[in-house]
Amino acid sequence: MEKSKEIFAVSERLVIRKFGMQDVESFYQYRSNPDIARFQSWENYTIQDAESFVSRQLESSPDQPGTWFQHAVALAASDQIIGDCAIHTLGAEPRIVELGFTLAPEHQGKGYMHEALCALLDYVFGTLNKHKLIAFSDVRNTKSIHVLERLGMRREGHLLENYMSKGHWIDEYQYAILQSEWLTMRK
């Protein structure tokens, strides 16, 4: 399989790159896992969903106001994807982006998502020159909350019954970090 040519960030163990069709099976494997889907918007994820998603990503480009762009998180040694992280460039204010992320369960607890997001935030605040990055987490999703707080993001709000998911109203925490805060932390 041919490796993706579009690389956005590199860390010690990971490459943050554009998706390729070679990623469909690995992407499907973790997206179809009910434990992974628990705090996400999807259920009963199929291989056709994965193929369609990756095909759309091939036509997308990052930093388009009003859109999400999904970055593949791949192991540097093998180019095997282990997760993804997304940036939503806000349409009303494109200097602010929203973050989302997912990691295959067998790769959790090894610092991979922290490493990937550090590299991605360097890209967001350095290359893209964004002012602020925000993220939302279901209040029950302690693993994601830990990842966001470990990045140095500040909890800015507790939004009660903020969205409907799988037939239930969900509370969310809102997190944020400014470009100036990130750059100071990274010195």
Side-chain angles (χ1 to χ4, degrees):
M1 297 270 169
E2 183 177 325
K3 290 187 177 186
S4 175
K5 303 288 188 265
E6 289 189 65
I7 296 174
F8 302 100
V10 176
S11 66
E12 183 178 328
R13 302 178 292 169
L14 303 170
V15 175
I16 312 305
R17 61 168 173 76
K18 191 166 189 167
F19 271 89
M21 291 310 291
Q22 75 276 9
D23 300 320
V24 169
E25 181 62 32
S26 297
F27 181 70
Y28 164 71
Q29 287 301 319
Y30 68 83
R31 282 272 176 130
S32 63
N33 183 315
D35 290 335
I36 296 300
R38 179 175 177 213
F39 298 115
Q40 302 286 2
S41 60
W42 66 82
E43 313 185 74
N44 305 317
Y45 208 77
T46 67
I47 191 73
Q48 292 80 17
D49 293 330
E51 289 169 350
S52 176
F53 178 89
V54 171
S55 292
R56 285 192 311 274
Q57 287 303 302
L58 291 172
E59 302 301 317
S60 299
S61 56
D63 203 25
Q64 301 302 307
T67 66
W68 282 91
F69 183 82
Q70 213 87 9
H71 300 80
V73 176
L75 294 170
S78 65
D79 200 39
Q80 176 72 34
I81 71 161
I82 61 169
D84 56 84
C85 46
I87 298 290
H88 174 218
T89 303
L90 301 185
E93 178 46 84
R95 293 170 292 189
I96 299 175
V97 294
E98 180 180 352
L99 174 70
F101 52 91
T102 308
L103 187 65
E106 64 271 21
H107 296 287
Q108 293 179 6
K110 300 174 183 177
Y112 284 128
M113 190 49 69
H114 177 76
E115 186 176 326
L117 293 178
C118 284
L120 187 68
L121 267 64
D122 286 342
Y123 168 75
V124 164
F125 290 128
T127 304
L128 299 181
N129 195 32
K130 296 301 179 181
H131 171 68
K132 184 177 186 178
L133 181 131
I134 61 173
F136 296 88
S137 178
D138 184 313
V139 298
R140 301 167 299 165
N141 192 344
T142 56
K143 289 180 181 179
S144 287
I145 291 166
H146 176 74
V147 168
L148 295 170
E149 291 177 352
R150 186 171 174 219
L151 281 172
M153 295 184 74
R154 154 186 67 264
R155 187 181 301 171
E156 292 192 329
H158 183 162
L159 310 169
L160 299 176
E161 297 184 5
N162 198 48
Y163 75 101
M164 176 68 72
S165 177
K166 303 171 185 170
H168 302 284
W169 285 104
I170 305 298
D171 289 3
E172 288 184 300
Y173 291 137
Q174 180 177 344
Y175 285 86
I177 190 165
L178 299 172
Q179 178 189 46
S180 58
E181 294 170 320
W182 181 255
L183 295 177
T184 298
M185 280 190 332
R186 294 297 273 180
K187 286 184 181 178

PDB file of all heavy atoms in Angstrom, residues 38-65:
ATOM      1  N   ARG A  38     -19.357   4.584  22.170  1.00  0.00           N
ATOM      2  CA  ARG A  38     -20.187   4.952  23.324  1.00  0.00           C
ATOM      3  C   ARG A  38     -20.376   6.458  23.470  1.00  0.00           C
ATOM      4  O   ARG A  38     -21.485   6.935  23.696  1.00  0.00           O
ATOM      5  CB  ARG A  38     -19.563   4.384  24.605  1.00  0.00           C
ATOM      6  CG  ARG A  38     -20.354   4.739  25.829  1.00  0.00           C
ATOM      7  CD  ARG A  38     -19.803   4.078  27.073  1.00  0.00           C
ATOM      8  NE  ARG A  38     -20.575   4.542  28.214  1.00  0.00           N
ATOM      9  CZ  ARG A  38     -20.077   4.700  29.408  1.00  0.00           C
ATOM     10  NH1 ARG A  38     -18.824   4.383  29.658  1.00  0.00           N
ATOM     11  NH2 ARG A  38     -20.824   5.140  30.385  1.00  0.00           N
ATOM     12  N   PHE A  39     -19.302   7.231  23.335  1.00  0.00           N
ATOM     13  CA  PHE A  39     -19.390   8.674  23.515  1.00  0.00           C
ATOM     14  C   PHE A  39     -19.343   9.433  22.189  1.00  0.00           C
ATOM     15  O   PHE A  39     -19.124  10.632  22.168  1.00  0.00           O
ATOM     16  CB  PHE A  39     -18.254   9.170  24.423  1.00  0.00           C
ATOM     17  CG  PHE A  39     -18.323   8.584  25.808  1.00  0.00           C
ATOM     18  CD1 PHE A  39     -17.322   7.735  26.261  1.00  0.00           C
ATOM     19  CD2 PHE A  39     -19.375   8.869  26.656  1.00  0.00           C
ATOM     20  CE1 PHE A  39     -17.369   7.202  27.541  1.00  0.00           C
ATOM     21  CE2 PHE A  39     -19.442   8.333  27.932  1.00  0.00           C
ATOM     22  CZ  PHE A  39     -18.441   7.493  28.375  1.00  0.00           C
ATOM     23  N   GLN A  40     -19.536   8.728  21.087  1.00  0.00           N
ATOM     24  CA  GLN A  40     -19.490   9.352  19.769  1.00  0.00           C
ATOM     25  C   GLN A  40     -20.894   9.410  19.173  1.00  0.00           C
ATOM     26  O   GLN A  40     -21.833   8.841  19.717  1.00  0.00           O
ATOM     27  CB  GLN A  40     -18.545   8.559  18.855  1.00  0.00           C
ATOM     28  CG  GLN A  40     -17.132   8.440  19.370  1.00  0.00           C
ATOM     29  CD  GLN A  40     -16.338   9.735  19.245  1.00  0.00           C
ATOM     30  OE1 GLN A  40     -16.836  10.761  18.802  1.00  0.00           O
ATOM     31  NE2 GLN A  40     -15.087   9.700  19.647  1.00  0.00           N
ATOM     32  N   SER A  41     -21.011  10.061  18.029  1.00  0.00           N
ATOM     33  CA  SER A  41     -22.323  10.252  17.404  1.00  0.00           C
ATOM     34  C   SER A  41     -22.794   9.037  16.614  1.00  0.00           C
ATOM     35  O   SER A  41     -23.952   8.955  16.256  1.00  0.00           O
ATOM     36  CB  SER A  41     -22.282  11.471  16.484  1.00  0.00           C
ATOM     37  OG  SER A  41     -21.312  11.276  15.474  1.00  0.00           O
ATOM     38  N   TRP A  42     -21.911   8.095  16.327  1.00  0.00           N
ATOM     39  CA  TRP A  42     -22.283   6.963  15.481  1.00  0.00           C
ATOM     40  C   TRP A  42     -22.588   5.707  16.300  1.00  0.00           C
ATOM     41  O   TRP A  42     -22.157   5.562  17.432  1.00  0.00           O
ATOM     42  CB  TRP A  42     -21.167   6.673  14.469  1.00  0.00           C
ATOM     43  CG  TRP A  42     -19.892   6.198  15.084  1.00  0.00           C
ATOM     44  CD1 TRP A  42     -19.590   4.926  15.477  1.00  0.00           C
ATOM     45  CD2 TRP A  42     -18.746   6.983  15.412  1.00  0.00           C
ATOM     46  NE1 TRP A  42     -18.332   4.871  16.020  1.00  0.00           N
ATOM     47  CE2 TRP A  42     -17.783   6.127  15.994  1.00  0.00           C
ATOM     48  CE3 TRP A  42     -18.421   8.335  15.262  1.00  0.00           C
ATOM     49  CZ2 TRP A  42     -16.543   6.571  16.424  1.00  0.00           C
ATOM     50  CZ3 TRP A  42     -17.181   8.775  15.690  1.00  0.00           C
ATOM     51  CH2 TRP A  42     -16.259   7.882  16.265  1.00  0.00           C
ATOM     52  N   GLU A  43     -23.328   4.799  15.657  1.00  0.00           N
ATOM     53  CA  GLU A  43     -23.575   3.453  16.177  1.00  0.00           C
ATOM     54  C   GLU A  43     -23.583   2.507  14.981  1.00  0.00           C
ATOM     55  O   GLU A  43     -23.836   2.934  13.862  1.00  0.00           O
ATOM     56  CB  GLU A  43     -24.946   3.318  16.842  1.00  0.00           C
ATOM     57  CG  GLU A  43     -25.359   4.359  17.795  1.00  0.00           C
ATOM     58  CD  GLU A  43     -26.694   4.019  18.453  1.00  0.00           C
ATOM     59  OE1 GLU A  43     -26.713   3.133  19.308  1.00  0.00           O
ATOM     60  OE2 GLU A  43     -27.693   4.640  18.098  1.00  0.00           O
ATOM     61  N   ASN A  44     -23.336   1.237  15.232  1.00  0.00           N
ATOM     62  CA  ASN A  44     -23.426   0.221  14.179  1.00  0.00           C
ATOM     63  C   ASN A  44     -22.641   0.621  12.931  1.00  0.00           C
ATOM     64  O   ASN A  44     -23.154   0.576  11.819  1.00  0.00           O
ATOM     65  CB  ASN A  44     -24.892  -0.053  13.835  1.00  0.00           C
ATOM     66  CG  ASN A  44     -25.688  -0.433  15.057  1.00  0.00           C
ATOM     67  OD1 ASN A  44     -25.241  -1.214  15.889  1.00  0.00           O
ATOM     68  ND2 ASN A  44     -26.879   0.141  15.187  1.00  0.00           N
ATOM     69  N   TYR A  45     -21.406   1.053  13.130  1.00  0.00           N
ATOM     70  CA  TYR A  45     -20.551   1.517  12.037  1.00  0.00           C
ATOM     71  C   TYR A  45     -20.205   0.345  11.124  1.00  0.00           C
ATOM     72  O   TYR A  45     -19.782  -0.711  11.589  1.00  0.00           O
ATOM     73  CB  TYR A  45     -19.277   2.124  12.629  1.00  0.00           C
ATOM     74  CG  TYR A  45     -18.647   3.185  11.775  1.00  0.00           C
ATOM     75  CD1 TYR A  45     -19.171   4.469  11.727  1.00  0.00           C
ATOM     76  CD2 TYR A  45     -17.522   2.903  11.008  1.00  0.00           C
ATOM     77  CE1 TYR A  45     -18.594   5.450  10.955  1.00  0.00           C
ATOM     78  CE2 TYR A  45     -16.935   3.886  10.223  1.00  0.00           C
ATOM     79  CZ  TYR A  45     -17.478   5.154  10.199  1.00  0.00           C
ATOM     80  OH  TYR A  45     -16.906   6.128   9.430  1.00  0.00           O
ATOM     81  N   THR A  46     -20.387   0.523   9.831  1.00  0.00           N
ATOM     82  CA  THR A  46     -20.147  -0.550   8.862  1.00  0.00           C
ATOM     83  C   THR A  46     -18.889  -0.276   8.040  1.00  0.00           C
ATOM     84  O   THR A  46     -18.387   0.855   8.011  1.00  0.00           O
ATOM     85  CB  THR A  46     -21.338  -0.681   7.894  1.00  0.00           C
ATOM     86  OG1 THR A  46     -21.406   0.503   7.082  1.00  0.00           O
ATOM     87  CG2 THR A  46     -22.652  -0.886   8.643  1.00  0.00           C
ATOM     88  N   ILE A  47     -18.427  -1.292   7.343  1.00  0.00           N
ATOM     89  CA  ILE A  47     -17.285  -1.122   6.445  1.00  0.00           C
ATOM     90  C   ILE A  47     -17.641  -0.130   5.340  1.00  0.00           C
ATOM     91  O   ILE A  47     -16.792   0.657   4.907  1.00  0.00           O
ATOM     92  CB  ILE A  47     -16.783  -2.484   5.887  1.00  0.00           C
ATOM     93  CG1 ILE A  47     -15.436  -2.323   5.161  1.00  0.00           C
ATOM     94  CG2 ILE A  47     -17.819  -3.117   4.975  1.00  0.00           C
ATOM     95  CD1 ILE A  47     -14.259  -2.091   6.048  1.00  0.00           C
ATOM     96  N   GLN A  48     -18.903  -0.114   4.911  1.00  0.00           N
ATOM     97  CA  GLN A  48     -19.338   0.854   3.896  1.00  0.00           C
ATOM     98  C   GLN A  48     -19.264   2.279   4.437  1.00  0.00           C
ATOM     99  O   GLN A  48     -18.896   3.204   3.708  1.00  0.00           O
ATOM    100  CB  GLN A  48     -20.759   0.535   3.408  1.00  0.00           C
ATOM    101  CG  GLN A  48     -20.868  -0.751   2.608  1.00  0.00           C
ATOM    102  CD  GLN A  48     -20.904  -2.019   3.483  1.00  0.00           C
ATOM    103  OE1 GLN A  48     -21.157  -1.966   4.687  1.00  0.00           O
ATOM    104  NE2 GLN A  48     -20.624  -3.153   2.858  1.00  0.00           N
ATOM    105  N   ASP A  49     -19.613   2.454   5.732  1.00  0.00           N
ATOM    106  CA  ASP A  49     -19.471   3.778   6.364  1.00  0.00           C
ATOM    107  C   ASP A  49     -18.014   4.216   6.333  1.00  0.00           C
ATOM    108  O   ASP A  49     -17.708   5.377   6.041  1.00  0.00           O
ATOM    109  CB  ASP A  49     -19.951   3.743   7.818  1.00  0.00           C
ATOM    110  CG  ASP A  49     -21.438   3.515   7.973  1.00  0.00           C
ATOM    111  OD1 ASP A  49     -22.214   3.917   7.081  1.00  0.00           O
ATOM    112  OD2 ASP A  49     -21.828   2.931   9.010  1.00  0.00           O
ATOM    113  N   ALA A  50     -17.124   3.292   6.641  1.00  0.00           N
ATOM    114  CA  ALA A  50     -15.684   3.608   6.658  1.00  0.00           C
ATOM    115  C   ALA A  50     -15.187   3.963   5.262  1.00  0.00           C
ATOM    116  O   ALA A  50     -14.453   4.946   5.092  1.00  0.00           O
ATOM    117  CB  ALA A  50     -14.895   2.433   7.233  1.00  0.00           C
ATOM    118  N   GLU A  51     -15.582   3.194   4.261  1.00  0.00           N
ATOM    119  CA  GLU A  51     -15.170   3.477   2.882  1.00  0.00           C
ATOM    120  C   GLU A  51     -15.671   4.844   2.427  1.00  0.00           C
ATOM    121  O   GLU A  51     -14.935   5.622   1.819  1.00  0.00           O
ATOM    122  CB  GLU A  51     -15.679   2.387   1.942  1.00  0.00           C
ATOM    123  CG  GLU A  51     -14.973   1.075   2.101  1.00  0.00           C
ATOM    124  CD  GLU A  51     -15.648  -0.073   1.361  1.00  0.00           C
ATOM    125  OE1 GLU A  51     -16.791   0.092   0.868  1.00  0.00           O
ATOM    126  OE2 GLU A  51     -15.026  -1.157   1.289  1.00  0.00           O
ATOM    127  N   SER A  52     -16.914   5.132   2.728  1.00  0.00           N
ATOM    128  CA  SER A  52     -17.505   6.422   2.347  1.00  0.00           C
ATOM    129  C   SER A  52     -16.791   7.579   3.051  1.00  0.00           C
ATOM    130  O   SER A  52     -16.479   8.600   2.438  1.00  0.00           O
ATOM    131  CB  SER A  52     -18.994   6.409   2.688  1.00  0.00           C
ATOM    132  OG  SER A  52     -19.575   7.653   2.430  1.00  0.00           O
ATOM    133  N   PHE A  53     -16.533   7.398   4.337  1.00  0.00           N
ATOM    134  CA  PHE A  53     -15.853   8.436   5.117  1.00  0.00           C
ATOM    135  C   PHE A  53     -14.460   8.724   4.550  1.00  0.00           C
ATOM    136  O   PHE A  53     -14.103   9.876   4.315  1.00  0.00           O
ATOM    137  CB  PHE A  53     -15.741   8.006   6.583  1.00  0.00           C
ATOM    138  CG  PHE A  53     -15.028   8.994   7.439  1.00  0.00           C
ATOM    139  CD1 PHE A  53     -15.713  10.017   8.059  1.00  0.00           C
ATOM    140  CD2 PHE A  53     -13.655   8.922   7.605  1.00  0.00           C
ATOM    141  CE1 PHE A  53     -15.042  10.952   8.834  1.00  0.00           C
ATOM    142  CE2 PHE A  53     -12.973   9.849   8.377  1.00  0.00           C
ATOM    143  CZ  PHE A  53     -13.679  10.868   8.995  1.00  0.00           C
ATOM    144  N   VAL A  54     -13.676   7.674   4.330  1.00  0.00           N
ATOM    145  CA  VAL A  54     -12.314   7.866   3.823  1.00  0.00           C
ATOM    146  C   VAL A  54     -12.352   8.483   2.424  1.00  0.00           C
ATOM    147  O   VAL A  54     -11.560   9.381   2.121  1.00  0.00           O
ATOM    148  CB  VAL A  54     -11.518   6.548   3.866  1.00  0.00           C
ATOM    149  CG1 VAL A  54     -10.181   6.691   3.141  1.00  0.00           C
ATOM    150  CG2 VAL A  54     -11.287   6.115   5.316  1.00  0.00           C
ATOM    151  N   SER A  55     -13.280   8.061   1.598  1.00  0.00           N
ATOM    152  CA  SER A  55     -13.409   8.648   0.256  1.00  0.00           C
ATOM    153  C   SER A  55     -13.682  10.147   0.334  1.00  0.00           C
ATOM    154  O   SER A  55     -13.090  10.926  -0.427  1.00  0.00           O
ATOM    155  CB  SER A  55     -14.532   7.964  -0.528  1.00  0.00           C
ATOM    156  OG  SER A  55     -14.183   6.640  -0.825  1.00  0.00           O
ATOM    157  N   ARG A  56     -14.555  10.554   1.244  1.00  0.00           N
ATOM    158  CA  ARG A  56     -14.841  11.988   1.411  1.00  0.00           C
ATOM    159  C   ARG A  56     -13.604  12.738   1.912  1.00  0.00           C
ATOM    160  O   ARG A  56     -13.346  13.854   1.496  1.00  0.00           O
ATOM    161  CB  ARG A  56     -16.015  12.196   2.369  1.00  0.00           C
ATOM    162  CG  ARG A  56     -17.362  11.879   1.763  1.00  0.00           C
ATOM    163  CD  ARG A  56     -18.526  12.362   2.631  1.00  0.00           C
ATOM    164  NE  ARG A  56     -18.433  12.000   4.026  1.00  0.00           N
ATOM    165  CZ  ARG A  56     -18.846  10.849   4.555  1.00  0.00           C
ATOM    166  NH1 ARG A  56     -19.375   9.923   3.784  1.00  0.00           N
ATOM    167  NH2 ARG A  56     -18.734  10.619   5.846  1.00  0.00           N
ATOM    168  N   GLN A  57     -12.841  12.094   2.809  1.00  0.00           N
ATOM    169  CA  GLN A  57     -11.632  12.744   3.327  1.00  0.00           C
ATOM    170  C   GLN A  57     -10.599  12.958   2.229  1.00  0.00           C
ATOM    171  O   GLN A  57      -9.852  13.932   2.259  1.00  0.00           O
ATOM    172  CB  GLN A  57     -11.038  11.938   4.483  1.00  0.00           C
ATOM    173  CG  GLN A  57     -11.827  12.034   5.764  1.00  0.00           C
ATOM    174  CD  GLN A  57     -12.000  13.470   6.224  1.00  0.00           C
ATOM    175  OE1 GLN A  57     -11.042  14.191   6.452  1.00  0.00           O
ATOM    176  NE2 GLN A  57     -13.245  13.896   6.345  1.00  0.00           N
ATOM    177  N   LEU A  58     -10.537  12.062   1.271  1.00  0.00           N
ATOM    178  CA  LEU A  58      -9.594  12.209   0.162  1.00  0.00           C
ATOM    179  C   LEU A  58      -9.873  13.462  -0.660  1.00  0.00           C
ATOM    180  O   LEU A  58      -8.970  14.047  -1.249  1.00  0.00           O
ATOM    181  CB  LEU A  58      -9.637  10.976  -0.745  1.00  0.00           C
ATOM    182  CG  LEU A  58      -9.090   9.692  -0.141  1.00  0.00           C
ATOM    183  CD1 LEU A  58      -9.367   8.506  -1.052  1.00  0.00           C
ATOM    184  CD2 LEU A  58      -7.605   9.821   0.139  1.00  0.00           C
ATOM    185  N   GLU A  59     -11.136  13.875  -0.676  1.00  0.00           N
ATOM    186  CA  GLU A  59     -11.536  15.068  -1.432  1.00  0.00           C
ATOM    187  C   GLU A  59     -11.476  16.334  -0.593  1.00  0.00           C
ATOM    188  O   GLU A  59     -11.648  17.426  -1.122  1.00  0.00           O
ATOM    189  CB  GLU A  59     -12.962  14.879  -1.973  1.00  0.00           C
ATOM    190  CG  GLU A  59     -13.125  13.656  -2.856  1.00  0.00           C
ATOM    191  CD  GLU A  59     -12.208  13.682  -4.072  1.00  0.00           C
ATOM    192  OE1 GLU A  59     -12.091  14.754  -4.704  1.00  0.00           O
ATOM    193  OE2 GLU A  59     -11.590  12.638  -4.376  1.00  0.00           O
ATOM    194  N   SER A  60     -11.243  16.202   0.706  1.00  0.00           N
ATOM    195  CA  SER A  60     -11.260  17.346   1.626  1.00  0.00           C
ATOM    196  C   SER A  60      -9.863  17.915   1.817  1.00  0.00           C
ATOM    197  O   SER A  60      -8.864  17.248   1.570  1.00  0.00           O
ATOM    198  CB  SER A  60     -11.802  16.911   2.995  1.00  0.00           C
ATOM    199  OG  SER A  60     -13.111  16.449   2.875  1.00  0.00           O
ATOM    200  N   SER A  61      -9.839  19.128   2.299  1.00  0.00           N
ATOM    201  CA  SER A  61      -8.569  19.736   2.691  1.00  0.00           C
ATOM    202  C   SER A  61      -8.780  20.451   4.027  1.00  0.00           C
ATOM    203  O   SER A  61      -9.885  20.884   4.338  1.00  0.00           O
ATOM    204  CB  SER A  61      -8.056  20.691   1.617  1.00  0.00           C
ATOM    205  OG  SER A  61      -9.012  21.666   1.324  1.00  0.00           O
ATOM    206  N   PRO A  62      -7.715  20.579   4.816  1.00  0.00           N
ATOM    207  CA  PRO A  62      -7.864  21.188   6.136  1.00  0.00           C
ATOM    208  C   PRO A  62      -8.101  22.689   6.057  1.00  0.00           C
ATOM    209  O   PRO A  62      -7.835  23.330   5.045  1.00  0.00           O
ATOM    210  CB  PRO A  62      -6.519  20.880   6.812  1.00  0.00           C
ATOM    211  CG  PRO A  62      -5.566  20.652   5.702  1.00  0.00           C
ATOM    212  CD  PRO A  62      -6.370  20.126   4.550  1.00  0.00           C
ATOM    213  N   ASP A  63      -8.622  23.195   7.164  1.00  0.00           N
ATOM    214  CA  ASP A  63      -8.759  24.638   7.382  1.00  0.00           C
ATOM    215  C   ASP A  63      -9.735  25.313   6.432  1.00  0.00           C
ATOM    216  O   ASP A  63      -9.516  26.447   6.007  1.00  0.00           O
ATOM    217  CB  ASP A  63      -7.382  25.314   7.337  1.00  0.00           C
ATOM    218  CG  ASP A  63      -7.379  26.636   8.085  1.00  0.00           C
ATOM    219  OD1 ASP A  63      -8.215  26.819   9.002  1.00  0.00           O
ATOM    220  OD2 ASP A  63      -6.550  27.507   7.745  1.00  0.00           O
ATOM    221  N   GLN A  64     -10.825  24.634   6.113  1.00  0.00           N
ATOM    222  CA  GLN A  64     -11.895  25.225   5.310  1.00  0.00           C
ATOM    223  C   GLN A  64     -13.003  25.654   6.275  1.00  0.00           C
ATOM    224  O   GLN A  64     -13.589  24.806   6.942  1.00  0.00           O
ATOM    225  CB  GLN A  64     -12.438  24.224   4.287  1.00  0.00           C
ATOM    226  CG  GLN A  64     -11.388  23.703   3.316  1.00  0.00           C
ATOM    227  CD  GLN A  64     -10.732  24.810   2.536  1.00  0.00           C
ATOM    228  OE1 GLN A  64     -11.400  25.634   1.914  1.00  0.00           O
ATOM    229  NE2 GLN A  64      -9.408  24.868   2.583  1.00  0.00           N
ATOM    230  N   PRO A  65     -13.276  26.966   6.396  1.00  0.00           N
ATOM    231  CA  PRO A  65     -14.285  27.435   7.353  1.00  0.00           C
ATOM    232  C   PRO A  65     -15.609  26.689   7.218  1.00  0.00           C
ATOM    233  O   PRO A  65     -16.109  26.469   6.124  1.00  0.00           O
ATOM    234  CB  PRO A  65     -14.430  28.921   7.007  1.00  0.00           C
ATOM    235  CG  PRO A  65     -13.079  29.292   6.451  1.00  0.00           C
ATOM    236  CD  PRO A  65     -12.656  28.069   5.663  1.00  0.00           C
TER     237      PRO A  65
END
